[in-house]
């Protein structure tokens, strides 16, 4: 008789047991849109990620456009053009 391999989460039939906490989390995650509400906190987080962060990154990129040239530089050369 050959010994059968069973993992720690398997029952006597070799099928993995379902963890109720993981199932509850998966259902909540799949139905998150049903329970969402606009609050001051969610509005601020949405504004920050949709407007504020891209605006700051775009402004920083626009302000530093063309200030540094990394191509063909050697040790001791200045990277700023002006």
């Amino acid at each position: 008789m050959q010994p059968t391999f069973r993992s720690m989460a398997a029952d006597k039939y070799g099928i993995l047991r379902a963890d109720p906490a993981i199932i509850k989390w998966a259902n909540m995650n799949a139905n998150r849109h049903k329970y969402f509400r606009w609050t001051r906190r969610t509005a601020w987080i949405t504004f920050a990620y949709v407007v504020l962060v891209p605006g700051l990154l775009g402004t920083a990129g626009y302000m530093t456009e063309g200030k540094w040239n990394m191509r063909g530089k050697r040790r001791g050369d200045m990277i700023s053009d002006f």
Side-chain angles (χ1 to χ4, degrees), residues 5-64:
F5 173 76
R6 292 195 337 218
S7 67
M8 291 175 54
D11 62 1
K12 64 181 177 180
Y13 300 110
I15 300 170
L16 292 178
R17 294 182 187 153
D19 187 358
I22 294 176
I23 293 172
K24 182 179 177 183
W25 177 82
N27 288 332
M28 182 219 39
N29 201 21
N31 296 318
R32 184 180 305 255
H33 64 282
K34 294 179 184 177
Y35 305 107
F36 178 78
R37 287 190 184 169
W38 283 105
T39 62
R40 185 175 299 207
R41 180 177 183 266
T42 57
W44 170 248
I45 291 171
T46 303
F47 174 77
Y49 281 112
V50 172
V51 176
L52 194 62
V53 172
L56 290 174
L57 290 175
T59 302
Y62 182 76
M63 299 292 273
T64 59

Side-chain angles (χ1 to χ4, degrees), residues 61-77:
Y62 182 76
M63 299 292 273
T64 59
E65 177 68 28
K67 287 195 174 184
W68 296 293
N69 185 6
M70 300 292 206
R71 300 178 90 191
K73 300 292 182 182
R74 295 184 180 179
R75 185 178 300 173
D77 289 346

